Amino acid sequence: MSLNLADCIAIYAAKNPGKAAVFMDNIQMSYSEVDGAAQRVANILAAKGIGYGDRVAMILPNTPHFPIVYFGILYTGATVVALNPLASEHELSHILADTQAKALFLWQDCVPNIGNAVGNSPTCEHLVVVEPKMEPEVPESGESFVLLMAGASPSFEMYQTMADDIAVILYTAASDGKAKGAQLTHFNLFQNANVIAERVLNFDENDVCMSVLPLFHGFGQTAMMNACFIAGGTIALFPRFDAAKVFDCIEKRKVTRLAVVPTMVHFMLHFKKGIKFDLSSIKTFVVGGAAMDTKLPAAIAERFGVDIVQGYGLTETSPVVSTNRNALENRLGSVGKALWGCTAAIRNEDGSFAGPNEEGEVVLKGHNIMTGYLNDPEGTAKVMRDGWFHTGDLGYLDEDGYIFLTGVKKD
């Protein structure tokens, strides 16, 4: 079965090309504009001989450049290696060597910190420096993104990857401190986003999803970008979290969905309570990425008058594993039930399965599980055993299958 994750943007661009896809501050781009720009990126890569099976790294913040480059890479059949803009030169050197990436799209502001890593890479032959604005600047090394885009065609025939082909490699710090590349397939990521869009958050084309979570991270990619695009919604992009700007954007743009981590919730709850914003458009707070204080749901309900969807996930699981979908289902302290198409269980040290309310290691199987760590069969074998992905997290399931996390397993 053929499937390319770039269909997240391409299908709706064909259906409703003039619909707003992304905006940031005063910048707004339609689905046809984002899709056309992604096809320009695909043509840039194809002209450099980059295509199916190759790996292309990108270090970009939450600006319209991110989805444009992300889907442009996927259009060619190449694999996205999405990296943190705060990555060090040492980290980037390791990842470029591990992935043998042939090209890097690098945010201009990051060049002084990590530019040497590209020069020292034996495989990364192409550096594209991405300018924040539309004015081209000739970089000291590499090529100008703006100039390349101006000379590229906005028409590219999408490479029809298979569902099990690797779409994205995301790096996660393992227990030994060495960054490991989780290989996620087109099916892993498309299905995880589709389940979030249709069965958890019920997205539609009227939704405006605020993306303050970094898109280089799986949570932001799946829950806010890919899921929103599948439904034909609009994404409000924020390069960095600022509570005042977030509230202002919610009011002006009528944001309906907001995904945050608990630290962001803390700042929002304590932001100048005397200042009033119209937040009536918000339907759902999605909270994940870290353990959450059990008092937060009530505090959010009191201040903002909305339910929260709390979730659990890992980089290796595309990333969403479970959610509490609404207040009626919510069980205090739980991270919800496993998603449709995903199974959670608790394993004892002897390999047997624990009963209800018995603590052990959380293990998973389903549509969202990575194929393995890149170039690390031993690391893969440690976590993929007996048909289950072993998370390293401790917890228990109650009688109804709700997951409660209690700690981290120690070797």
Side-chain angles (χ1 to χ4, degrees):
M1 180 185 73
S2 63
L3 173 66
N4 190 312
L5 187 63
D7 276 333
C8 286
I9 190 76
I11 289 175
Y12 204 83
K15 177 183 177 181
N16 193 350
K19 171 76 190 316
V22 300
F23 59 76
M24 185 188 75
D25 298 329
N26 295 323
I27 300 170
Q28 180 167 306
M29 297 183 70
S30 68
Y31 270 84
S32 65
E33 289 172 330
V34 173
D35 187 54
Q39 292 185 57
R40 288 179 188 270
V41 170
N43 276 307
I44 290 169
L45 292 171
K48 298 180 183 301
I50 295 172
Y52 175 72
D54 293 326
R55 291 145 188 168
V56 179
M58 52 184 286
I59 299 182
L60 300 173
N62 284 20
T63 68
H65 304 87
F66 192 100
I68 288 168
V69 174
Y70 181 91
F71 290 116
I73 296 169
L74 294 171
Y75 251 101
T76 70
T79 298
V80 172
V81 182
L83 303 175
N84 188 342
L86 298 179
S88 68
E89 184 176 327
H90 175 75
E91 289 169 325
L92 180 58
S93 295
H94 163 66
I95 292 170
L96 290 179
D98 196 35
T99 61
Q100 295 188 316
K102 290 191 173 181
L104 169 65
F105 287 82
L106 178 62
W107 191 243
Q108 188 179 50
D109 293 347
C110 297
V111 172
N113 298 326
I114 55 181
N116 289 335
V118 181
N120 295 331
S121 169
T123 63
C124 191
E125 299 176 350
H126 307 284
L127 171 63
V128 179
V129 178
V130 181
E131 303 96 327
K133 298 181 180 180
M134 292 300 294
E135 293 81 13
E137 295 185 31
V138 179
E140 291 184 9
S141 61
E143 299 175 89
S144 159
F145 177 77
V146 173
L147 288 178
L148 287 172
M149 290 290 281
S153 168
S155 178
F156 185 92
E157 184 177 353
M158 185 187 298
Y159 188 95
Q160 286 305 306
T161 48
M162 302 304 288
D164 289 338
D165 286 334
I166 305 302
V168 177
I169 298 173
L170 297 179
Y171 275 78
T172 178
S175 58
D176 60 3
K178 181 183 178 181
K180 296 179 181 289
Q183 300 177 96
L184 302 170
T185 68
H186 289 266
F187 181 74
N188 285 154
L189 293 162
F190 187 90
Q191 185 72 342
N192 203 234
N194 193 50
V195 170
I196 293 296
E198 294 192 357
R199 293 177 176 266
V200 178
L201 297 177
N202 304 118
F203 281 155
D204 61 37
E205 61 185 14
N206 297 312
D207 273 309
V208 178
C209 304
M210 179 175 288
S211 187
V212 294
L213 295 172
L215 292 177
F216 69 82
H217 189 279
F219 189 8
Q221 274 181 48
T222 292
M224 286 292 102
M225 185 174 75
N226 293 339
C228 187
F229 282 152
I230 284 174
T234 303
I235 302 176
L237 292 167
F238 276 78
R240 61 183 62 84
F241 177 79
D242 182 301
K245 291 182 178 179
V246 166
F247 285 132
D248 186 61
C249 181
I250 293 172
E251 182 175 72
K252 290 180 178 177
R253 295 286 190 167
K254 304 302 178 187
V255 172
T256 59
R257 317 283 187 166
L258 175 64
V260 290
V261 294
T263 303
M264 294 176 182
V265 176
H266 174 82
F267 282 111
M268 294 176 73
L269 286 170
H270 294 86
F271 177 77
K272 301 178 181 178
K273 295 184 178 181
I275 300 177
K276 300 296 182 182
F277 291 95
D278 180 4
L279 308 179
S280 60
S281 61
I282 289 286
K283 297 178 183 177
T284 315
F285 266 75
V286 183
V287 183
M292 185 174 70
D293 190 317
T294 55
K295 297 178 181 178
L296 276 184
I300 291 171
E302 179 182 355
R303 175 111 199 250
F304 305 122
V306 296
D307 288 342
I308 72 161
V309 173
Q310 186 181 1
Y312 166 55
L314 304 98
T315 301
E316 297 93 335
T317 60
S318 302
V320 186
V321 170
S322 66
T323 64
N324 280 316
R325 292 193 295 174
N326 55 54
L328 293 176
E329 289 187 4
N330 191 37
R331 297 195 178 180
L332 195 63
S334 168
V335 291
K337 287 185 175 181
L339 293 183
W340 181 90
C342 179
T343 302
I346 305 297
R347 293 288 285 268
N348 296 315
E349 286 289 341
D350 62 5
S352 63
F353 289 96
N357 301 307
E358 293 180 359
E359 186 186 68
E361 183 178 10
V362 180
V363 295
L364 308 164
K365 63 170 57 175
H367 70 259
N368 52 345
I369 307 300
M370 68 170 183
T371 63
Y373 295 120
L374 179 66
N375 302 325
D376 190 0
E378 291 185 6
T380 300
K382 287 181 181 179
V383 296
M384 307 283 281
R385 306 197 305 274
D386 304 322
W388 293 86
F389 171 67
H390 291 245
T391 66
D393 292 325
L394 294 175
Y396 63 90
L397 302 180
D398 70 8
E399 297 84 350
D400 298 316
Y402 283 84
I403 303 170
F404 292 79
L405 301 177
T406 58
V408 178
K409 183 179 179 181
K410 301 294 184 183
D411 293 332

